[in-house]
């Protein structure tokens, strides 16, 4: 009887863990926000601003939700950028380097003026907090879209 109860508890715990870490059911902390323009994003990406840049903090903070397959164009940040992944699975790639997988809990530093892109994996979306420091230097310089060939390359 005790064993049966213990097994039942284990099973229910496992179900709870699985529901937050697999499939397309990823968790949002912040509201979805506004759809990013097709000029700068492939697929559907939504931006929700948290801290606007001003002369005191010189730091822009917000959240982007990338639907599966969605990604930014190539771009640079004059003052750098820090990404904090709060759920889902995605990619980060600097020009000339292989793409890296990003998962919940990952922190990625994008150095100033290094050309890169970020976005969701093909099958799972991505919840990404972004911090753009040193905004007195500029926020983002947008470049060309990430082609399917680059996005799908291992
Ligand atoms: Mn970036």
């Amino acid at each position: 009887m005790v064993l049966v109860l213990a097994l039942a508890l284990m099973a229910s715990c496992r179900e709870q863990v699985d529901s937050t870490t697999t499939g397309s059911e990823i968790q949002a902390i912040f509201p979805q926000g506004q759809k990013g323009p097709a000029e700068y994003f492939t697929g559907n990406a939504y931006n929700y601003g948290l801290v606007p840049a001003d002369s005191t903090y010189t730091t822009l903070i917000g959240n982007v939700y990338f639907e599966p397959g969605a990604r930014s164009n190539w771009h640079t940040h004059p003052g750098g950028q820090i990404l904090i992944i709060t759920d889902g699975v995605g990619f980060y790639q600097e020009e000339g380097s292989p793409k890296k997988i990003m998962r919940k809990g990952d922190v990625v530093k994008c150095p100033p003026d290094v050309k890169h892109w970020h976005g969701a994996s093909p099958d799972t979306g991505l919840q990404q907090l972004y911090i753009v420091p040193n905004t007195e230097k500029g926020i983002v310089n947008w470049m060309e879209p990430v082609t399917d060939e680059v996005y799908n390359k291992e």
Side-chain angles (χ1 to χ4, degrees), residues 75 77 81 83 110 116 118:
H75 61 279
H77 304 284
Q81 181 182 45
L83 307 175
C110 320
H116 68 279
H118 26 119

Side-chain angles (χ1 to χ4, degrees), residues 72-73 75-77 81 83 92 110 114 116-118 128 130 132 140 142:
S72 72
N73 282 15
H75 61 279
T76 62
H77 304 284
Q81 181 182 45
L83 307 175
Y92 169 76
C110 320
V114 170
H116 68 279
W117 63 271
H118 26 119
Q128 166 211 275
Y130 64 86
V132 179
V140 59
W142 289 110

Side-chain angles (χ1 to χ4, degrees), residues 64-118:
V64 173
Y65 168 57
F66 290 97
E67 288 185 354
R71 67 268 192 180
S72 72
N73 282 15
W74 289 97
H75 61 279
T76 62
H77 304 284
Q81 181 182 45
I82 299 164
L83 307 175
I84 299 173
I85 308 310
T86 61
D87 209 354
V89 181
F91 302 130
Y92 169 76
Q93 184 174 26
E94 294 177 358
E95 190 176 45
S97 298
K99 71 184 182 195
K100 295 176 180 168
I101 295 180
M102 302 190 293
R103 300 179 195 279
K104 180 177 181 174
D106 285 347
V107 178
V108 175
K109 289 195 260 186
C110 320
D113 294 322
V114 170
K115 186 176 174 181
H116 68 279
W117 63 271
H118 26 119

